[in-house]
């Protein structure tokens, strides 16, 4: 199917893009990687009157460390995350997880900001950002504001991003030495969304977990931060009894939609299993 006609704009700065958003209103959509928006347009599920292509705005790209945080431009591609020496050394969960997203062709074009701003619970970066305690930088006509990842996602395809705002960057504190991390994702085939996924970041001392972050992919209307599961893990050794208790807490918070990737019972069970795998892998990295 062919989408209806639309106007196309390619601004060269954030200011120009914001001006277009303000001028065009809700008739316009931002175009990042395009892997979510363009298929919806071809099926006529989305029919914007104008596209604002933000790929030509250099200030939206790049990865650097500043002020004790790593700043990732929203238009940084998955392949750029994978290739970044800074991330490999200071925040290795991101490049490792990016390798599990889609396929090489998609990763060459798809962006971290587009993945997050779309608000799809099946996307990987929302849960990863929650587990990393990330902060999102949003810019609009009135200036810049910052929103925690755990507060950003409000429902399926619904976020805290206003219609006249752009997600410009993701801010994450680099890992301290000895931090364990893992992202485990069950999918039917290469390139598919997760049936269920779990991102885990933890620290250990004296044989027990002292800090833990657990976030879940595609088992609710939004990505989830599993606080009760974290509480079941902190202060405990990583053994079968602890993992079973954590998995039980994870299953309790799940509310997945049934689809071709599984029914509610299967997705919920797999969320528990992915969490157990991720915790075991993360614990093995603590040193």
């Amino acid at each position: 199917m062919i989408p209806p006609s639309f106007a196309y704009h390619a601004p060269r700065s954030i200011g120009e893009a914001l001006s277009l958003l303000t001028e065009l209103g809700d008739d316009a959509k931002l175009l990042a990687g395009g892997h979510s928006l363009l298929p919806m347009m071809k099926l006529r599920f989305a029919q914007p009157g104008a596209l604002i292509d933000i790929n030509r705005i250099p200030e939206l790209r790049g990865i650097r460390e500043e002020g004790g945080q790593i700043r990732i431009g929203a238009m940084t591609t998955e392949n750029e995350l994978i290739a970044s020496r800074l991330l490999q050394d200071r925040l290795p969960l991101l490049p490792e997880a990016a390798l599990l997203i889609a396929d090489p062709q998609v990763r060459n074009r798809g962006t971290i900001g587009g993945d997050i701003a779309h608000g799809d619970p099946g996307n990987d970066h929302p849960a990863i950002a929650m587990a990393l305690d990330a902060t999102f930088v949003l810019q609009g006509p009135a200036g810049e504001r910052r929103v925690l990842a755990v507060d950003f996602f409000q429902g399926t395809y619904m976020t805290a991003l206003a219609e006249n705002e752009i997600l410009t960057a993701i801010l994450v504190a680099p890992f301290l030495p000895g931090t364990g991390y893992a992202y485990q994702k069950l999918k039917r085939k290469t390139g598919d969304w997760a049936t269920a996924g779990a991102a885990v970041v933890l620290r250990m001392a004296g044989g027990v977990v002292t800090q833990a972050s657990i976030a879940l992919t595609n088992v609710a209307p939004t990505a989830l931060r599993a606080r009760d599961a974290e509480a079941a893990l902190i202060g405990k050794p990583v053994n079968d009894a602890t993992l079973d208790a954590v998995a039980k807490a994870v299953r309790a918070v799940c509310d997945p939609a049934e689809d071709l990737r599984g029914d509610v019972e299967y997705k919920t069970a797999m969320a528990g299993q992915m969490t157990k795998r991720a915790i075991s892998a993360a614990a093995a990295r603590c040193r």
Side-chain angles (χ1 to χ4, degrees), residues 94-155:
L94 269 175
E96 181 175 291
L99 281 167
L100 300 177
I101 295 174
D103 55 46
Q105 286 181 309
V106 170
R107 293 195 292 265
N108 193 54
R109 173 79 178 178
T111 66
I112 183 173
D115 187 284
I116 289 168
H118 189 52
D120 188 335
N123 285 352
D124 298 280
H125 281 296
I128 296 166
M130 286 184 178
L132 292 172
D133 288 317
T135 297
F136 301 149
V137 182
L138 315 181
Q139 191 165 334
E144 182 181 286
R145 66 188 180 105
R146 299 184 177 190
V147 177
L148 297 177
V150 292
D151 298 327
F152 184 75
F153 304 99
Q154 301 175 348

Side-chain angles (χ1 to χ4, degrees), residues 7-29:
Y8 175 81
H9 305 271
R12 302 287 177 151
S13 68
I14 293 176
E16 185 182 352
L18 289 174
S19 295
L20 285 166
L21 272 179
T22 301
E23 175 188 343
L24 298 171
D26 58 10
D27 196 39
K29 294 291 184 184

Side-chain angles (χ1 to χ4, degrees), residues 52-72:
I52 302 173
D53 185 345
I54 55 176
N55 279 274
R56 294 171 176 80
I57 302 177
E59 57 205 292
L60 292 179
R61 294 188 180 275
I63 304 166
R64 64 183 185 273
E65 190 167 3
E66 61 179 29
Q69 291 186 308
I70 294 176
R71 183 184 181 97
I72 304 167

Side-chain angles (χ1 to χ4, degrees), residues 160-205:
L161 191 67
E163 290 183 352
N164 61 349
E165 287 183 319
I166 296 173
L167 171 63
T168 59
I170 297 91
L171 305 178
V172 188
F175 284 162
L176 296 172
T179 300
Y181 60 91
Y183 184 57
Q184 292 288 323
K185 172 182 177 179
L186 177 66
K187 55 185 179 179
R188 299 176 302 170
K189 58 186 177 65
T190 298
D192 196 13
W193 282 275
T195 300
V200 171
V201 178
L202 57 80
R203 294 181 59 77
M204 299 183 69

